[in-house]
Amino acid sequence: MTETSTPAKNAATTRSNAIVYAPLTVDAQRGGSLFDRTAVYLSTSRYIPQRLVEVSILLAEVYLLNVPEWILGEKNLGRPAVEKRIESSIAASKIAIADTVSKGGRRKVAVLTGGANGLGYMTAMAVAEAGYHLIIGDRATEMGIRAVEAIKAKTKNMLVEFLYLDLGSFKDVREFAGEIARRTDTVDLLINNAGVMDLPKFRPTAEGHDSQFGINHLGHFYLTVLLLPLVKKAPKARVVMTASSAHYGTSKINYPGITSAKAYDRINNYCGSKLATVMFVRALARSLAKTNPNITVNCLHPGACYTNLFKSSWLLYILTTIGFQYFLRSPTRGARTLAYLSLSEEVEGISGEYWFDERIRQRNPASNDVGNQEELVRYSYAAVGMPEDTLSVFHSDVLE
């Protein structure tokens, strides 16, 4: 599923004074095992109640992230700090795109969900700075319009647009995808970032699905399938999805709780929605590796970040009002891996992986089961009202 034959890890070239780093191997990108072993143990332990797994992983993450990397066993890549490497990737992309456009070529196009604030906004800033024609989809219209104006002012990139998108409505997803298709025939970068978390009560989407699963997975599943024909037209393309360490918090998806308020479980449904993201990435990457190896698909955990997501949970809201937020990451820090997977040359050719802190991490073992992945794909196709096609999954040219 991933390419491992890449140049030497320290190889780099320059592009008009911007350093372009060579792709790294999968093995070089793997993170230290301490966090992986801790998260996987917590997720599979018979001695920890299932409802405590997510909070246990959160606390372990906060603790582990506040100790030096060498204690975690993170590898020294022999390269500058990741922030500097991302800056170089942004500069190199901006130069390359400007050069292509000056010669009459096509400007790269990026689509990002949930870019009005938080992690999405900071990621949008990086993508716009990299020279992309950026289209942001969000349901917070006023905030989204202000975000676009701020991004334009900061980056001087006038090709940044806002379109209304409610991932909790399949009708809105179709309209958004159709509007994208009217604006461009190619999408080089698709970033599925929007989401909701820990909703106390069953809150149905327009089609009656739990909002956590409906927005976090089904809405993005549908959008991805609709835009894939445009993604496939790019010489090289990337699909990046925001997952979470919460995917370790369950071993299976609570399918009855997706449409039933009685079977709804606020924690399990959220964890299940993020497990679905990781499984979707695995299934999509495996499918595209056979037909479109030029497209890579990856997901990431941004870390425990202090964003608007915490306002949905009274417990998390109380914790963040009494000082717990100081142990959490800022949106700028949380968006770093999003920007890295979207723009860095170092991840070229790597697909189907789960990342955290710019390192490949061990997934919840439940996400590796192909049978589970196929069950999720079948359920998702049925939920969005599309014909089931698990053998040639994701191959239909929906917008053509």
Side-chain angles (χ1 to χ4, degrees):
M1 187 177 297
T2 58
E3 297 179 9
T4 58
S5 176
T6 58
K9 69 178 183 179
N10 290 319
T13 58
T14 58
R15 180 184 294 156
S16 299
N17 297 323
I19 299 175
V20 179
Y21 292 96
L24 289 164
T25 64
V26 172
D27 287 340
Q29 291 277 26
R30 293 199 184 282
S33 61
L34 179 56
F35 179 82
D36 287 358
R37 289 201 307 267
T38 302
V40 172
Y41 169 76
L42 289 171
S43 67
T44 58
S45 174
R46 293 177 299 171
Y47 307 106
I48 299 177
Q50 193 67 44
R51 297 188 68 83
L52 295 180
V53 170
E54 183 187 5
V55 69
S56 298
I57 291 174
L58 173 62
L59 293 175
E61 175 188 324
V62 170
Y63 172 75
L64 291 174
L65 291 179
N66 284 282
V67 300
E69 283 196 344
W70 65 268
I71 294 179
L72 298 179
E74 302 294 359
K75 299 173 184 175
N76 184 345
L77 298 177
R79 296 183 171 187
V82 66
E83 292 89 351
K84 294 293 184 183
R85 300 191 328 259
I86 293 174
E87 288 176 6
S88 291
S89 297
I90 291 173
S93 172
K94 186 175 184 178
I95 292 167
I97 290 176
D99 183 59
T100 298
V101 172
S102 70
K103 296 176 181 177
R106 181 185 63 85
R107 183 180 296 275
K108 287 185 176 181
V109 176
V111 176
L112 181 152
T113 70
N117 58 67
L119 307 180
Y121 173 74
M122 301 310 302
T123 305
M125 190 72 75
V127 173
E129 182 66 35
Y132 282 73
H133 173 189
L134 173 62
I135 303 172
I136 296 172
D138 203 299
R139 61 183 177 183
T141 302
E142 292 185 8
M143 190 180 297
I145 293 173
R146 289 197 300 269
V148 165
E149 294 307 313
I151 292 168
K152 287 179 178 179
K154 179 72 179 295
T155 66
K156 310 304 179 187
N157 181 351
M158 297 298 106
L159 290 174
V160 181
E161 301 181 73
F162 174 84
L163 293 176
Y164 178 79
L165 170 63
D166 181 358
L167 287 158
S169 165
F170 295 152
K171 175 177 177 292
D172 285 352
V173 172
R174 285 194 300 272
E175 291 178 353
F176 178 80
E179 195 58 44
I180 297 293
R182 283 187 282 275
R183 282 168 158 74
T184 180
D185 63 358
T186 307
V187 171
D188 302 87
L189 174 61
L190 172 60
I191 305 174
N192 292 335
N193 167 72
V196 295
M197 181 180 76
D198 195 26
L199 301 181
K201 296 182 180 179
F202 182 86
R203 185 186 302 172
T205 64
E207 288 74 24
H209 301 102
D210 154 43
S211 286
Q212 294 190 107
F213 196 87
I215 292 172
N216 296 351
H217 171 65
L218 290 176
H220 281 128
F221 174 91
Y222 195 22
L223 179 63
T224 302
V225 172
L226 291 174
L227 292 183
L228 264 181
L230 309 186
V231 175
K232 289 178 180 179
K233 291 181 180 178
K236 290 183 179 181
R238 297 182 183 185
V239 179
V240 181
M241 306 191 197
T242 299
S244 170
S245 63
H247 90 281
Y248 293 111
T250 185
S251 60
K252 59 183 179 180
I253 294 171
N254 176 24
Y255 286 107
I258 296 173
T259 54
S260 167
K262 185 176 181 180
Y264 176 72
D265 183 305
R266 62 190 291 181
I267 294 177
N268 191 265
N269 278 44
Y270 176 67
C271 293
S273 74
K274 292 304 182 178
L275 178 61
T277 298
V278 179
M279 290 199 295
F280 179 31
V281 163
R282 296 293 289 172
L284 182 55
R286 185 174 62 253
S287 175
L288 292 174
K290 302 173 184 177
T291 60
N292 298 84
N294 59 309
I295 304 174
T296 59
V297 189
N298 289 284
C299 62
L300 68 128
H301 171 47
C305 302
Y306 186 44
T307 67
N308 287 336
L309 286 179
F310 278 79
K311 294 181 179 179
S312 299
S313 167
W314 65 267
L315 175 60
L316 293 176
Y317 179 76
I318 291 174
L319 287 174
T320 53
T321 56
I322 61 175
F324 186 68
Q325 71 268 27
Y326 296 109
F327 293 95
L328 304 177
R329 296 179 166 191
S330 68
T332 301
R333 176 65 182 83
R336 198 174 75 181
T337 304
L338 265 169
Y340 182 72
L341 291 179
S342 299
L343 302 170
S344 175
E345 305 86 355
E346 294 179 345
V347 302
E348 190 71 47
I350 299 178
S351 191
E353 302 293 350
Y354 167 73
W355 299 70
F356 175 40
D357 274 1
E358 302 79 51
R359 297 286 198 278
I360 295 172
R361 304 293 177 175
Q362 187 174 341
R363 299 171 294 275
N364 182 335
S367 68
N368 297 324
D369 189 296
V370 174
N372 289 343
Q373 296 168 17
E374 291 179 346
E375 180 184 17
L376 172 69
V377 169
R378 288 193 297 270
Y379 181 92
S380 301
Y381 265 128
V384 302
M386 297 179 69
E388 181 183 322
D389 187 5
T390 56
L391 295 179
S392 57
V393 63
F394 314 122
H395 295 170
S396 58
D397 291 334
V398 180
L399 292 178
E400 291 189 332

